């Protein structure tokens, strides 16, 4: 799944794809951070990653998802936990930020 950020806002693309998670943006870092914060979805970090709110991302990505999506989502979050990409409390997941 891709969190896509541009001057039109923040959307989730390929929400059914739980094998990857990234942020693609057409905006500079400060505007990317403002867009994520404004949407209530997270924040951009100085290290070029984003910290995304797991519950909010799940809600956005699950719209129109297949019946087996919740299991695939859980597997993606478990993978993030094993790789230390999930906060200790499970509220935030890290994703790389790349140009769209």
């Amino acid at each position: 799944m891709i969190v896509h950020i541009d001057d039109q806002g923040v959307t989730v693309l390929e929400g059914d794809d739980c094998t990857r998670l990234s942020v693609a943006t057409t905006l500079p870092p400060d505007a990317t951070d403002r867009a994520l914060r404004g949407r209530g979805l997270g924040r951009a970090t100085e290290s070029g990653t984003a910290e995304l709110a797991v519950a909010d991302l799940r809600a956005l990505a699950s719209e129109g998802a297949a019946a087996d999506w919740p299991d695939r989502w859980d597997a993606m979050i478990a993978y993030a936990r094993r790789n230390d990409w999930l906060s200790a409390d499970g509220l935030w997941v890290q994703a790389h930020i790349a140009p769209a």
Side-chain angles (χ1 to χ4, degrees):
M1 94 186 40
I2 302 166
V3 176
H4 185 264
I5 304 169
D6 61 18
D7 57 0
Q8 301 300 309
V10 179
T11 56
V12 174
L13 305 175
E14 302 174 30
D16 201 48
D17 182 357
C18 294
T19 62
R20 62 188 173 131
L21 175 60
S22 64
V23 175
T25 184
T26 61
L27 304 178
D30 60 330
T32 296
D33 182 59
R34 281 194 306 274
L36 285 170
R37 289 175 188 269
R39 180 65 173 84
L41 193 56
R43 69 181 189 95
T45 69
E46 292 181 13
S47 64
T49 62
E51 293 177 344
L52 303 173
V54 172
D56 295 327
L57 178 60
R58 187 182 197 285
L60 282 175
S62 67
E63 294 175 11
D68 68 337
W69 186 88
D71 292 333
R72 291 184 289 117
W73 168 268
D74 290 345
M76 180 179 76
I77 295 301
Y79 182 79
R81 183 180 307 280
R82 286 192 305 272
N83 287 280
D84 293 324
W85 299 328
L86 195 67
S87 63
D89 58 11
L91 297 177
W92 303 93
V93 63
Q94 281 187 344
H96 291 286
I97 299 175

